[in-house]
Each structure stands twice: as C-alpha cells, then as structure tokens.
Amino acid sequence: MAEIDSGDTAWILMSAALVMLMTPGLAFFYGGLVRRKNVLSTIMHSFFILGLVSVTWVLWGYTIAFGPDTGLGLFGGLDYLGFEGVSGEPGPYADTIPHLAFATFQGMFAIITPALITGAFAERKNFKAFVIFAVLWSTFVYAPIAHWVWGGGWLGELGILDFAGGTVVHLTSGISALVAALMIGRRLGVISPLTEPHNVTMTVLGAALLWFGWFGFNAGSALAADGVAALAFVTTNVAAAMAALTWVTVSWLHKGTPSVVGAAVGAIAGLVAITPAAGFVTPAAAILIGFGVALVCYAVAHVRVLLRVDDALDVFAVHGVGGAFGAVATGIFAVEVGLLAGNPGQVLVQLIGVAAAAGYAAVATAVIFLLINLFIRIRVPSDAEERGLDLAQHGEAAYGQA
C-alpha cells in the first residue's frame, strides 16, 4: 500500500502556492509593459483567470486532463468530474502525496497557461469575449494536450519528455497567442508593433515573482522532495540567469545600452526553455539551454517587429519559440536518453510532440475565435480602444486623475 509522505506533501503544497503566485506575477509583468490607459485591464486578465480556471478545473478540467484514458489517448474520462473521487489518499499519478495535492498543483498550471496568451491581445479585446475564450481554451486546448503528455495520452505513450510544461504550457500558449494576435488585428494608433512600457519597475517586479514561483513550477514537478527536485531547482535558476545575461549582452551590442526590460524578458525566456528539461539535464546543459534560447528568442522578437505582427507582449517569441526550443533541447541533452547519450530517436519524438501540440493549439484557437465572434464582438470598438480599456471596459483608472 502506498503511504503519504509528509515531506513530499508539504513540498507539493508549497509548490502549488508558488505556482499560484506566478499568475499575479504575470499580471505585474504584463501590466508594466502596456500603456498607462490599459494597465488595469491587462492585470484583470490574469487575476480573473485565477478565479475562473480554479473553478472550471475542479468541475471538469481536471478529469479531461487526468481522468482515466478513454482508450483513444486524446482525453480523460469523466471519473473525476467535480473532483469526485479525488481524495486525501494517494492517487494514480503519485504514491506519496494526496490525490488532492496533485490535482491542485496541476490546477495552477491550468490557470497560468491561458493567462499567458492574454499578452498577445492586450489593449484591444472585449472582456466578455475574453471570459468565454478563457473557458473554452482551457477546456478544449489545455486539458486535452495535458492529457496527451501527462495523463496517459498518446504523446506520453510515445515517450515525449516534458518535465514541467514546455510543450503543454508554453508552446501551446505561445502558438495560440500568435493566432490570436493575427486574428484580432493590430492596435489602433500603433504604427510600430513596439510600444514603450508604461512602468518598467512593475515589469521587473513581475519577472522576479515569476522567477521565484518557477521553482515550484519546475522543482515541484518532481512530485517529491528528493534529488530530482533539487536538480530541477538548480537547472531552473541557472538557465534563467544565463538567458538574462545573454539577452542583456546581445541587446547591449545591438542597441548600445544594457536593457532593463531585456534582462527581465531574457530571464523569462530561460525559464520557459528549461521547463521541459529541468529534471532531465545537467546544470551545465541548462547553461547552454539558457544561452541558446536567449539568442533565438531575441532574434524572433525582432523579426516579429519587422513583420509588423502585433503580438503586443511577445508571447509567441518568448513562450512559443522558447517552449519549442526547450522541447527539442530536452531531446538533445537529456541524461541517458537524449541525443548526446546516443539516442537520436528522442529528438524525433520531441519534434512530433511540438508539431502535434502546436498544430492542434493553432487550429483550435482559430476555431474558438471564430465561434465567439459569431455571437460577441471580440475586439472593442475603436473609440473604446482609443480611450483605453481601463475606463472603457472596467470604469476604473490605475492611477486616478493626473
């Protein structure tokens, strides 16, 4: 009989709290990057999703993602509907922690993933349409892909490595963000898809909270307080550090100044890329991953500007590209099973997972956008956009009267 381990349980509950903190941290990170007139609406996206998906995850999200496979490898059955049968006893995914602790920990991943997408359509999306999008996307995109990889689905059976969500969380949100940005269109009055952040201090605070919370995100995914958790903790920190250093250096050489925003964004890119690899690679490999992803994401972010794609907060460049880079890097550097260990087949499996998750997320996101737009206008009217969504959508101002 499996027995609950108090140390493992305490670590997973603490990790769940750390991952929960990441969503308000994301709100600060995104809120500082937008213009003053849209800071509250941007923060509200993340904060509202924290409440919304917390409820839908209990009602139906968890069972779609982690219910017993229906035999198709695509989604779980309805055994855990409303957390039915999810108790304080060990569950099917971890022997030493309560099933409730595992389900709650996974719920925090389900919360932050759709919140990541909101950076792409910041400053122009109708709040009603946003709420419906968040419910539909978390139900029909996040939960099935989580099942494919972690819940006994076909990608897990194929042998994909995704320690903490490089494919499930970051790739899917980044690809969906690109589709959303293209479908909703560019912001009014923004000649270049590059605007000055209204509050860099807020963005750096958000990045720091995300970095802190990411220790729960990655090290918690070991599902035990053990050596694997320690490895994931170390690789997470060093990849973020190397990526931040690299991004600042590249931007310094490119633009002549060491960018503060670049340091924050670089750290996030490093955290994204190490997420699928955290418990599978050495600290030295994590440094290489952090270095490589900063170069790639920096380049993609600037190509995005040249192409005039208004992914307002570069969700695709950082999370989509960073998630894909990290997934492939995992196949290369994973100890014992990666390319450098003599197993080139793992890279192929990683590429299949990237292609499948990206393709499904892109198509499903487009369909969700089209369906919502049949009933509710996704984009706010032009006068509301010019006025700013804080006042037009929420009737409040972030800083009061000037």
Side-chain angles (χ1 to χ4, degrees):
M1 291 288 292
E3 294 185 2
I4 298 294
D5 182 277
S6 59
D8 291 348
T9 301
W11 170 236
I12 297 308
L13 292 175
M14 177 58 71
S15 294
L18 287 170
V19 181
M20 176 269 170
L21 183 65
M22 291 174 70
T23 300
L26 181 70
F28 278 116
F29 183 75
Y30 280 175
L33 290 172
V34 297
R35 290 171 292 180
R36 181 187 179 99
K37 62 184 180 180
N38 294 307
V39 58
L40 283 184
S41 65
T42 301
I43 288 174
M44 182 62 164
H45 285 157
S46 293
F47 205 82
F48 193 84
I49 280 178
L50 178 57
L52 182 66
V53 179
S54 290
V55 174
T56 61
W57 184 250
V58 170
L59 293 177
W60 64 75
Y62 178 69
T63 198
I64 295 172
F66 290 97
D69 187 70
T70 57
L72 300 173
L74 299 177
F75 47 84
L78 301 182
D79 303 53
Y80 302 139
L81 201 65
F83 265 28
E84 179 68 27
V86 180
S87 70
E89 299 300 316
Y93 296 99
D95 293 334
T96 62
I97 63 174
H99 194 177
L100 272 169
F102 173 82
T104 300
F105 176 64
Q106 290 296 336
M108 300 306 168
F109 286 64
I111 289 165
I112 197 170
T113 308
L116 292 171
I117 303 170
T118 64
F121 50 66
E123 304 192 312
R124 59 205 190 276
K125 190 167 187 178
N126 183 329
F127 189 75
K128 291 180 182 178
F130 151 75
V131 172
I132 298 171
F133 173 81
V135 172
L136 294 178
W137 194 92
S138 62
T139 300
F140 295 106
V141 180
Y142 179 81
I145 293 179
H147 183 79
W148 295 0
V149 176
W150 294 329
W154 71 278
L155 281 176
E157 291 297 315
L158 191 63
I160 191 173
L161 298 177
D162 189 358
F163 191 77
T167 298
V168 176
V169 174
H170 298 290
L171 175 65
T172 57
S173 61
I175 291 294
S176 298
L178 177 61
V179 172
L182 292 172
M183 294 187 72
I184 201 169
R186 295 173 55 215
R187 287 167 289 176
L188 295 177
V190 177
I191 299 173
S192 166
L194 197 62
T195 58
E196 289 297 320
H198 95 283
N199 190 329
V200 175
T201 303
M202 182 184 293
T203 294
V204 175
L205 171 62
L209 289 172
L210 284 166
W211 193 334
F212 177 67
W214 226 292
F215 292 123
F217 202 89
N218 286 358
S221 292
L223 300 180
D226 59 12
V228 177
L231 174 64
F233 196 107
V234 172
T235 56
T236 296
N237 189 61
V238 75
M242 189 64 202
L245 295 175
T246 303
W247 195 294
V248 169
T249 301
V250 172
S251 67
W252 198 345
L253 294 172
H254 181 206
K255 297 183 177 180
T257 56
S259 170
V260 177
V261 173
V265 175
I268 301 305
L271 291 164
V272 169
I274 198 60
T275 292
F280 300 130
V281 303
T282 65
I287 292 176
L288 292 176
I289 290 171
F291 174 74
V293 77
L295 295 178
V296 172
C297 290
Y298 185 89
V300 173
H302 283 79
V303 170
R304 190 271 303 175
V305 173
L306 293 175
L307 294 176
R308 298 171 64 82
V309 175
D310 197 6
D311 174 359
L313 306 182
D314 270 325
V315 184
F316 171 72
V318 175
H319 295 275
V321 175
F325 181 94
V328 176
T330 303
I332 296 171
F333 292 107
V335 176
E336 297 182 358
V337 296
L339 174 65
L340 297 183
N343 179 27
Q346 189 62 52
V347 176
L348 177 61
V349 172
Q350 299 300 108
L351 288 170
I352 291 171
V354 166
Y360 177 74
V363 172
T365 300
V367 170
I368 290 170
F369 255 70
L370 291 171
L371 286 175
I372 293 173
N373 208 42
L374 290 175
F375 303 97
I376 299 174
R377 185 177 175 181
I378 287 182
R379 186 163 180 159
V380 297
S382 58
D383 60 333
E385 188 173 341
E386 291 173 354
R387 186 183 180 199
L389 271 60
D390 289 1
L391 291 173
Q393 293 274 288
H394 303 287
E396 297 170 308
Y399 303 106
Q401 296 297 319

